[in-house]
Amino acid sequence: MKYVHVGINVTNLEKSIEFYQKVFGVDPVKVKTDYAKFLLENPGLNFTLNVQNAVSGNQVNHFGFQVESAEEIVTHKERLEKEGFFAREEMATTCCYAVQDKFWVTDPEGNEWEFFYTKADSEFHKIEFTSCCVDSNSEVNKASCC
């Protein structure tokens, strides 16, 4: 397998190209009036299934990049903040049966992208309240979890 393919729908191609150029750190390899294509050699894909009480509409929970070190989290966060993004930070959080450092950015269509480093496994889904892991029965349900 050479590439994993994810295709998302956007309403503003120009804004979306600008966002993803900054997030991915590369220019698209193909741009048409109704289409843009980015090819990334690295990273691979971390794909998760996230159980909810009910699912309707868009089935995407979130997208993300799992990095190899805590230092990479800081590097990517600083890089994207310099590009003008607000990065929602969650450091030393227990989420999705893992202890993680992470941050989130949101594309122009509202899709959340998580950059995370897994420090250790955990026996608990969550230990503290975070926007990543909110109980599905809660009034505040971000539907975002790794």
Side-chain angles (χ1 to χ4, degrees):
M1 198 178 314
K2 188 168 181 179
Y3 294 102
V4 172
H5 174 64
V6 173
I8 64 170
N9 298 324
V10 301
T11 58
N12 186 314
L13 185 62
E14 186 176 301
K15 277 187 176 180
S16 295
I17 289 172
E18 183 180 339
F19 176 86
Y20 286 105
Q21 282 174 315
K22 292 174 181 176
V23 169
F24 296 149
V26 299
D27 291 333
V29 296
K30 184 184 290 186
V31 177
K32 303 292 182 184
T33 59
D34 61 349
Y35 176 86
K37 177 179 178 180
F38 290 86
L39 285 178
L40 302 167
E41 295 298 325
N42 190 11
L45 176 67
N46 180 312
F47 182 77
T48 64
L49 299 173
N50 298 276
V51 176
Q52 301 291 322
N53 287 339
V55 178
S56 63
N58 186 350
Q59 302 302 305
V60 173
N61 184 282
H62 68 277
F63 302 101
F65 296 101
Q66 183 172 3
V67 300
E68 294 185 39
S69 70
E71 293 77 22
E72 276 188 84
I73 291 294
V74 173
T75 299
H76 285 294
K77 182 177 176 288
E78 289 174 353
R79 175 180 67 82
L80 291 171
E81 286 176 337
K82 285 179 185 174
E83 292 284 1
F85 293 112
F86 168 75
R88 182 170 38 98
E89 183 178 288
E90 295 179 10
M91 299 300 183
T93 187
T94 299
C95 175
C96 308
Y97 302 96
V99 179
Q100 303 172 335
D101 284 346
K102 64 174 75 185
F103 72 91
W104 301 80
V105 294
T106 305
D107 80 3
E109 302 296 329
N111 293 302
E112 289 193 302
W113 284 84
E114 169 190 36
F115 286 73
F116 69 99
Y117 169 65
T118 299
K119 297 176 173 185
D121 285 333
S122 171
E123 292 299 315
F124 302 97
H125 189 267
K126 66 176 181 168
I127 290 181
E128 59 186 273
F129 177 85
T130 69
S131 60
C132 168
C133 295
V134 178
D135 184 322
S136 298
N137 295 318
S138 171
E139 290 179 10
V140 181
N141 183 1
K142 289 290 290 174
S144 296
C145 196
C146 39

